[in-house]
Amino acid sequence: MTAQPDIDAILAEYASWPGGLMPALHAIQHQHGWVSSEHVPALADAFNVSVAEVHGVISFYSDFRTEAPKGPLVQLCRAEACAARGAKAVHERAIAEVAGQPIDLEDVFCLGLCTAGPVITAQGRVHSNVTPDEVAVIIGHALRNDAVPPAPASTARRPDTITVFVPIDAAARAVGADDVAAGLVDAPGVHLVRNGSRGMLWLEPMVEIDTPQGRVAYGPVGVADVPGLLEADLLHGGEHPLRLGLVDDLPWMRSQQRYTFRRVGVVDPRDPDDYERNGGLVGLRRALTMQPTDVVAEVTDSGLRGRGGAAFPTGIKLRTVLEAAGTTKYIVCNADEGDSGSFADRMLMEGDPFMLVEGMVIAGWAVGANDGYVYIRSEYPDAIEAMRAAIAAAEQRGWLNGPGSVGGVLGTDFVFRLHLRVGAGAYICGEETALLESLEGRRGVVRAKPPLPALEGLWGKPTVVNNVLSLGTLPAILADGAASYAALGTGRSRGTQVVQLAGNVARGGIIETPFGITVDEVVNVLGGGTASGRSVRAVQVGGPLGAYLSTDHLDVPVDYEAFAAAGLLLGHGSFVVFDDTVDMAAMARFAMEFCAVESCGKCTPCRIGSTRGVELIDKITAGIDREQNIDTLLDLCEVMADASLCAMGGFTPLPVRSALSQFTDDFHRTSPSTEGSHS
Amino acid sequence: MTLSLSMLIDDHDLGTPAPDRRLREPAQATVEVTIDGQTFSVAEGTSVMRAAALCGVDVPKLCATDRLDPFGSCRLCLVEIEGRKGTPASCTTPVAQGMQVTTQSPKLERLRRGVMELYISDHPLDCLTCAANGDCELQDMSGKVGLRDVRYGYEGDNHLSLGKDTSNPYFTFDSSKCIVCSRCVRACEEVQGTFALTIEGRGFGSRVAAGFKGSFFDSDCVSCGACVQVCPTATLTENTVIEMGQPRRTVLTTCAYCGVGCSFKAEMQGETVVRMTPYKDGGANEGHSCVKGRFAWGYATHQDRQLEPMIRESITDEWRVVSWQEAIDHTAARLKDIQARHGNGAIGGITSSRTTNEEVFAVQKMIRTAFGNNNVDTCARVCHSPTGFGLSQAFGTSAGTQDFKSVESADVILLIGANPTDAHPVFASRMKKRLREGADIIVVDPRRIDLVKTAHVRAAHHLQLRPGTNVAVVNALAHVVVTEDLVDHRFVQERCDPAEFAAWAAFVSQPENSPESLEQHTGVPAAEMRAAARLFAGAGNGAIYYGLGVTEHSQGSTMVMGMANLAMATGNLGRDGVGVNPLRGQNNVQGSCDMGSFPHELSGYRHVSDPNVRALFEGLWGHAIQPEPGLRIPNMFDAAIDGHFKGLFVQGEDIAQSDPNTVHVMAALTSLELLVVQDLFINETAKVAHVFLPGTSFLEKDGTFTNAERRINRVRPAMRAKTGKQEWEVVCELAAALGAPMHWNDAAEIMDEIAALTPTFAGVSFAKLDEVGSVQWPCNDAKPMGTPIMHEGVFVRGKGRFTVTPYVPTDEKSTRKFPLLLTTGRILSQYNVGAQTRRTDNVRWHGEDVLEIHPHDAEERGIRTGDEVTLASRVGTTTLHAVVSDRMAQGVVYTTFHHPVSGANVVTTENSDWATNCPEYKVTAVQVSPGHSAATVEIDHPEHRLGALVRMANQIARQMAADPHADAVAATAYHLDRFWEHEMRADLVRAIDAGTVTVDDIVVEAVGRLSVTA
């Protein structure tokens, strides 16, 4: 692990990559376990930057370690959805377990497995629903460096076999899907397909059997259940206590209108033929017969709005870039899905990666861009792998231009290359301008706007920056026509919302539904209330920068305008449920702490304000000059909200203020004290 | 602009730069914007902050400054804009037509106070004892927003215990006072272009860091001072300010280092300099500086300065301090005595490129009137004389064609034999800025200089030629331009002489001038050469910049003409972004040449043989001017050794260290009966002088310097002359003692006389310069505000002249005995012979000259970095420490000449440019061997001198040999007539008659036609 990295080979590979510094640092870290300052001059030379800049980049991203690791790395998620499911106790136990041991324990903020927290990674493997006792076991394995078996892949189809689907989605793998797949792969008559997840994450690992009646589901299946299931004639849909019935008839599925997620869980994400058989490329083929302006018009007419949170009309953005001066333009896919409680992007990339590829090609054609970049956070190794494989397959098929390819996409003259880049542990890179900086191989520091990225984006060129779901929806809109999307939804919120339900909830997962469903329906009807069985106390909507709703406010309909009217942020559509044991002062503190950890550090309100926010809340909960400090906290919230450069500092006050206004009692638990007071 | 010099000048910072800083005139398109109820018209694209500042409303700010692009991080400058939600930052928001802006409201005041409260919660409260007290923007803003309380307390997380970085000798970095506005980081990137600084960490942990090892001194920092200048707090502070406190008055003046000519504010307490800060409105530097001008001014008041006149009979005697009167009388008497005994021409003088125009003018006037001869030369002889010669031949003016600003419009820069990041750092920063914007650069240099590859700079082509093959390179480039028909025919047709173009095109098209044929000489791969030529010829705006790597060759003048040919053929003259641009070495090289200090020319480059010109001067001066050229510096040396040149007046140049072949120079100097040195220090030359006249530093001088872009800048006294006299006053007194008084009351009157006698200076006066800041000559009735870009529409000489430029290899060739080629150059921290910079903390960066040697050559000789090595040429031997480096090609070694102890010029030879005698510093065949060895001495003798004259004549003939024989003879005769001193021509005839040396036929025939013969 700590052998010297082959720096020359790494630099030879990445020196010609635009913004190649980050990939090179990843490669060094991968080979070496850390990045030594010895390598800084060579990196600076290779990428034509200064040693100071390289140092600045390394020190910005939490992934890059500048000291030799003590031992294996264990990461614990501390974000809200895991916090809602008891991460604090796990965290405390882990700290006790690693004390004095040669092991590196670090915090991580969201691995996108938000229905099954607390989540831990060790030796590259993810463990979910971890209890404090299990933490001790996991750390023990890590210390012994126990081998992790490889995940079984889809098998080739043989005669007289029946297709058995076992999801390869990270959420399914985290609860043992690989073990289930390993138990099934060699069973007689089994043709194993690793599909995406249907999004009913409480049922994972959910095994599906291809029967003449349709796909029959069993779940959640443990590895111990496999022999019994085979015995119960699983392969022909046989009866078993775990048998759920036909997938399409399940209430969860029937309650939805799957538009963007139409193929997720259906197809084998590694199989381009499967993609084409299931409607893939129809949209792209049609788009390529149209003029770019007509493609843009189609998107505009669909009413699609940016699904990363800002809800900016996608068609207008495409038109801006199309009409922008210059011949070099870029498509950038923001797959830095860092919000706790959000995992739709991850699931789409893991379950239907070709759709994102296709969507980016369509966007490229629409605006005249020949290069696309998909920037995926490093906390999503499965999504990275899925996209890497999909891009390679698409290049091979001529759906994309790849190394040595001749001509353009699908036999046309249109050239489009797609590049995958991996983040390095910085939440702020989900902010579009910080993401562009990061793609350029720099510190992920937010840019001031204007100029808009649509006019001066990546390397100063006109750039479409859109979320995975926005770009991933383009193939469907182009395939089915603008009206197919516009027909769904309510008011100006057209189409569907991909709701992600997580935290302390009985039935968590993905719900793709037309806009208009209420929060209460999402949480209590579809989600079935809390997982703990206790009453729901709070729901955080829209990620770590979203407000906490008390149960009095759950009747808001899920649409952009209604949310905005209520002073809320729909964001990426995540709903994290908390039961009545939650300490909302602690959650408010967490919001400030998260901002303090993840702030890029550029603007003053966010850089200093978040730290002062944590300190103020500590004083408030300790009962020190409470009323005065609450006033100061509210003033701080105003400064952060109205003076910050980007949404990170700007929206951090939302959870804080909402906790303070709706859960006031939690801030008054200790008796007031004048100790340590100040004037 | 009227300046009151008795107060501190505080630049009004408008917060963001002008919308298009490249524009020479303000943008035409304007919009109406209402700010706090008042409507104004401002240029489109202006930021709301700048618009407000222009209208007299200064919005609070900390991260914004008009020297840097808007950043938007401090969040103090928020405003309200009608119809827009929220409170946008005024620095990053451009104005729009009809925009209604409010800069003050209860909401805005609350937000600003809140932001300041956060800042101060992590800032020391030691304002009263802080070095920035009175000059702190954080303090100012705190006052402006009315911060009265920091409710967070001071016990929270903070950075107050971070230590200071005092590694840099000139400034201190105190991280505990840093507000992380990134101004320093941005200045290092945007203004200086070095990228030595970064923010490390993120969030609350974000801190300014230098390099990656932690200290400024260990980082890439070049101490330009840009970070210190923009720092709004005491985080980055000059050590002099820490020691002395804030300055109280400003004197606007001009840096006395290189040819960039940066304008500075000398910020003073009484007569003591507190700091030098670059002046924002300085045309050459636009507010930027380098380590020398910004910090290395301490030499001016260094204890080594000799402040009183001294004389001695013999150089073995002790110096005797005397009164000014005695010094002047003694000198005059000795000079007269020499002339009485050895003839009028037995004395002469050398003007300096470091003194003011007025001082140069005074010296040359003294020589032409009081000495009664034309034996005046300038140290520009040994650096840029080929520039004057070559550009004058091609375009009609002995100066570069552009101003520095022009580089901002260049698309392809062809950089030949210049190393701007070391030698012209402030201009290099402007160039690098343009390169970062996307312009390409082609570097022609034997060394891999920084501009070949450094952070954010990567040359499109590096033509790593063998030293001495410039002309072959330019011919090869021209060959591609002509044979691939990349010529700008329209330009050539309209602007140039067609016959000369045709002759030149035919010449460069010859197969022997192809990149393929010349590759054996240049060492540059033909494909690379062709690609470079295509890139340059295909550029919208192609600009040539060059330095001493062009001029200091036996074909320096040929190369200048070769570059002029290339620029004309590609249509790259007469507008922004193009041109042929010499990067002049010393602060007043251009000026000293303009002032008539060449032996053949009066001010404004007018030949002494022109009776009308002489009549003009004679009329005003009341003295006859000799119609024949006088001696050049090398000729003076030869004549001294020969015994018929006996007295020399040297102002401000250390010829003993700076001129080539030190042994030869010392032999000449010690042959003199009287050597008079006027200088700040007892330099190497003064060590063998008989009279020492103390000089004044630039901080004491009143006058003008003219920089490389022909910009005439004012030099103003920040303190009284420490010697009691201005240098020109001393010259006047000497002239008067010799019987030719010069009646000037002050330096302004000298400029008035220059203007009266020099058409290109007709419109120049101190009053005008004080009013407008600076002007670029020509400045006269036709161009009252000066001429930034020359040759617009038509060349000064009419039609541009193409000259055939045959490649004639230098005689200096590597041999078995001397297998390596030495080339010399400069380094950022040191200046010229180091007399100034060696007396500052700049020695921390460069304490000695080292010999850079390629790893292969080093290994062959068993040399490692740090080893002492002997460097030997056929004329001398010296000892240096080696640095093994692959910056040079194999077979080439490199050193600097900043330290007298290393004596790089001990090994450089007497070879020189055929046209101007500019020494061939850049090519010396040498051997390098490990260890120290005793110096070898080889003294010239008269026979050698006659041989040298013939060699010089043969050299001229070889340049002309490409022309038809009759033309070549005529051209050779013309050249000898026009540029050679009478005695030299006579000696040439004698040498030919003696028949002991081989003389080119062309020379023999040309000598037969000389109008003046023995």
Side-chain angles (χ1 to χ4, degrees), chain B residues 811-889:
Chain B
D811 295 337
E812 190 71 12
K813 293 187 175 69
S814 52
T815 59
R816 186 178 297 180
K817 191 171 173 199
F818 301 110
L820 303 171
L821 289 179
L822 169 74
T823 186
T824 60
R826 283 133 215 270
I827 199 159
L828 173 67
S829 56
Q830 295 287 352
Y831 176 70
N832 204 277
V833 296
Q836 293 140 290
T837 44
R838 277 186 285 111
R839 291 182 171 92
T840 69
D841 280 324
N842 278 25
V843 292
R844 290 268 309 275
W845 286 279
H846 186 76
E848 60 175 322
D849 295 319
V850 296
L851 185 79
E852 289 187 33
I853 182 167
H854 188 272
H856 180 88
D857 298 325
E859 197 187 331
E860 222 172 37
R861 292 164 175 76
I863 292 167
R864 284 164 307 175
T865 292
D867 288 355
E868 195 175 51
V869 296
T870 296
L871 174 69
S873 76
R874 61 185 165 80
V875 306
T877 298
T878 187
T879 306
L880 299 138
H881 287 107
V883 169
V884 178
S885 156
D886 63 359
R887 283 190 159 226
M888 283 80 46

Side-chain angles (χ1 to χ4, degrees), chain A residues 606-671:
Chain A
C606 183
R607 177 168 53 86
I608 307 179
S610 53
T611 292
R612 296 291 171 254
V614 171
E615 291 164 2
L616 281 175
I617 295 171
D618 282 345
K619 286 182 202 167
I620 291 164
T621 52
I624 301 167
D625 294 339
R626 183 173 280 147
E627 294 313 314
Q628 203 179 313
N629 278 319
I630 287 176
D631 283 349
T632 308
L633 179 62
L634 289 171
D635 285 354
L636 172 64
C637 282
E638 185 190 19
V639 171
M640 289 180 71
D642 294 347
S644 290
L645 176 60
C646 83
M648 172 104 222
F651 286 133
T652 290
L654 262 185
V656 177
R657 281 167 164 164
S658 62
L660 202 53
S661 63
Q662 295 176 62
F663 306 94
T664 315
D665 292 350
D666 289 14
F667 293 81
H668 291 74
R669 286 194 180 159
T670 54
S671 55

Side-chain angles (χ1 to χ4, degrees), chain A residues 45 48 50 52-53 55 59-60 425 443 597-599 602-604 607 612 615 619 635 638 642-643 678, chain B residues 71 73-75 87 107 110 119 121 151-152 157 179 195-196 198-203 453-454 456:
Chain A
D45 185 59
N48 216 35
S50 71
E53 288 175 282
H55 171 67
S59 65
F60 184 87
R443 297 166 50 79
V597 172
E598 296 293 348
S599 165
K602 180 172 175 180
C603 79
T604 317
R607 177 168 53 86
R612 296 291 171 254
E615 291 164 2
K619 286 182 202 167
D635 285 354
E638 185 190 19
D642 294 347
H678 62 95
Chain B
F71 192 56
S73 80
C74 77
R75 317 309 288 172
T87 46
K107 167 94 178 171
R110 219 162 47 235
Y119 272 129
S121 75
R151 293 168 294 167
Y152 304 111
D157 200 359
I179 59 168
F195 295 75
T198 185
I199 302 291
E200 68 179 2
R202 71 176 189 225
K453 191 175 179 309
T454 184
H456 301 273

Side-chain angles (χ1 to χ4, degrees), chain B residues 642-655:
Chain B
D642 222 15
H644 56 257
F645 187 78
K646 292 291 184 184
L648 180 63
F649 178 95
V650 182
Q651 183 180 51
E653 196 204 352
D654 191 1
I655 46 182

Side-chain angles (χ1 to χ4, degrees), chain A residues 344-376:
Chain A
D345 296 348
R346 180 186 64 68
M347 290 188 65
L348 186 79
M349 288 187 287
E350 292 178 16
D352 192 12
F354 291 110
M355 188 159 184
L356 178 56
V357 171
E358 184 184 345
M360 291 185 71
V361 184
I362 292 170
W365 171 247
V367 303
N370 302 110
D371 285 279
Y373 287 84
V374 53
Y375 183 95
I376 311 180

